[in-house]
Amino acid sequence: MITPVHAYTGNTHRAPARVWVLMSSIAIAVLVLAPGVALALLAFPIFIEDPPDTMPAFRSVNTLTYTAVRSVLMCVVSALAANVLVFASIPAIVRALRRCPSRATARFGTIAAIAFFVGAIVSVAIWALVLAPVGVLFSPDPQSLQDKLPRFSFLLIFAPFVIDWARFLVMLIAGIAVSTAKRPGTAMPTTTLTAQGPR
């Protein structure tokens, strides 16, 4: 059996799938490092001097608020950067799925991509809820707006990371599956391109 010439050129699913895997790997690394950097920022706060007339109960509140906001923004920026990496590789993902020789693998990759984008919408919605208290601080009437907002636990901030880790991991697995996919029933290509003639 003669191996098709396109299997030895760049016009296959492997090159764009490798871009898919590379971008997903970097995105996961960014997401894994983000909480550690955020905790480091919490451990080394920037102290803000309180006004002289500050009540004892409200001392160091500005320092704590600034430190917490800085850490949360670090997580938000990391999540945005990770998503941008994968979104930037959409052309490569589409090419890899179209050229994938295995229909089952291409179907798995398509489902993973759809789940990734749906998860992004859910993650953005949760981030909006997490950052809502920060927006209250800059509103004209923070007290009335705060009374209208539901009470959300600070632990809600971990929900987007759980969702992101899951969907980026699924995307990485799908990219690896597509990059290693072969046409069903085909053998591994050998180093020789010559066909064996009839005996």
Side-chain angles (χ1 to χ4, degrees):
M1 178 180 179
I2 300 177
T3 305
V5 177
H6 67 77
Y8 298 94
T9 66
N11 192 24
T12 66
H13 65 288
R14 289 187 174 88
R18 287 168 184 161
V19 175
W20 178 353
V21 172
L22 176 62
M23 292 297 191
S24 298
S25 301
I26 297 175
I28 289 178
V30 171
L31 286 178
V32 170
L33 293 176
V37 176
L39 291 176
L41 293 176
L42 289 174
F44 299 97
I46 296 177
F47 293 96
I48 300 176
E49 187 176 356
D50 296 320
D53 56 347
T54 302
M55 299 177 59
F58 293 98
R59 289 176 183 174
S60 301
V61 171
N62 292 331
T63 299
L64 293 174
T65 302
Y66 178 79
T67 303
V69 170
R70 184 180 57 167
S71 297
V72 171
L73 288 180
M74 172 65 198
C75 295
V76 174
V77 171
S78 300
L80 288 176
N83 281 279
V84 167
L85 286 173
V86 177
F87 276 99
S89 61
I90 287 179
I93 293 173
V94 173
R95 284 196 298 270
L97 291 175
R98 286 181 175 177
R99 299 175 183 175
C100 184
S102 172
R103 289 186 177 181
T105 306
R107 189 181 303 111
F108 170 66
T110 303
I111 294 173
I114 294 174
F116 178 86
F117 297 125
V118 172
I121 297 174
V122 176
S123 183
V124 168
I126 297 177
W127 273 119
L129 296 177
V130 171
L131 297 178
V134 179
V136 169
L137 298 176
F138 299 97
S139 63
D141 191 3
Q143 184 61 38
S144 62
L145 185 58
Q146 189 174 9
D147 294 337
K148 297 177 182 178
L149 287 175
R151 304 298 180 183
F152 293 102
S153 172
F154 185 74
L155 294 177
L156 191 64
I157 193 176
F158 294 103
F161 280 102
V162 174
I163 295 174
D164 287 342
W165 288 335
R167 61 196 186 90
F168 279 105
L169 181 60
V170 171
M171 280 294 285
L172 177 59
I173 295 173
I176 294 174
V178 172
S179 66
T180 57
K182 300 178 180 64
R183 189 179 301 278
T186 57
M188 289 290 294
T190 58
T191 55
T192 60
L193 298 178
T194 58
Q196 187 176 4
R199 295 181 180 179

